[in-house]
Amino acid sequence: GAVVSQHPSRVICKSGTSVKIECRSLDFQATTMFWYRQFPKQSLMLMATSNEGSKATYEQGVEKDKFLINHASLTLSTLTVTSAHPEDSSFYICSARDRESYEQYFGPGTRLTVT
Amino acid sequence: ELKVEQNPLFLSMQEGKNYTIYCNYSTTSDRLYWYRQDPGKSLESLFVLLSNGAVKQEGRLMASLDTKARLSTLHITAAVHDLSATYFCAGNQGGKLIFGQGTELSVKP
């Protein structure tokens, strides 16, 4: 149980384009999902907290107009990187918090490369 | 604001040896997590420690929590090559996980 999927697992896009990453909780409901970014050899940095049916809360320094988050259902959150640039290349990991147990479960990550 | 610091950041061990990774945190955290990350992969949950004095063990790894000292440790016993990975601890602040810098462990024959 407690499986979180992300799609796609890898994506390469051209500078200036947008890319959408999906995060799904497969066997539990998640009122809250979290989006992290991890650069090589660094720790995970929380970007934003996504709450079902309401606006996301962004961490300091994260541009909300660049990283659009939608949490339309209890099992799906999406992160759209708009007008991507090479510096946005990173490993994006989502986690979903089980609404009953309050434990967080991590997705497998999405490797974004912007050329 | 919760800050989490790990040390060491890099650890090269010989197989068969024991070592401990330390995780200090700055303010109250109602739970402390340990994760393992292999290169190119996401996080694998190892332990959740909920209370002072909690100790959990899985195979060659043992984690403990001292809430008074705001310290958690991950002890590795008789290391084997398969344990080579990066290990993260994380505290909980208002439902958000705050991660340490990670400890890159390399176990050599």
Side-chain angles (χ1 to χ4, degrees), chain A residues 34 36 38 41 43-44 46 59 91 93 97 103-104 106-108, chain B residues 31 33 35 37 40-43 88 95-97 99-101 104:
Chain A
F34 302 89
Y36 297 85
Q38 186 180 33
K41 299 291 187 181
S43 187
L44 279 74
L46 179 65
E59 295 300 303
F91 193 43
I93 305 174
R97 186 163 69 195
E103 286 302 331
Q104 282 191 44
F106 284 85
Chain B
R31 55 193 65 196
Y33 298 85
Y35 295 93
Q37 186 178 38
K41 304 287 187 182
S42 186
L43 300 183
F88 291 96
K96 300 178 188 179
L97 292 183
F99 286 86
Q101 309 96 309
E104 186 176 336

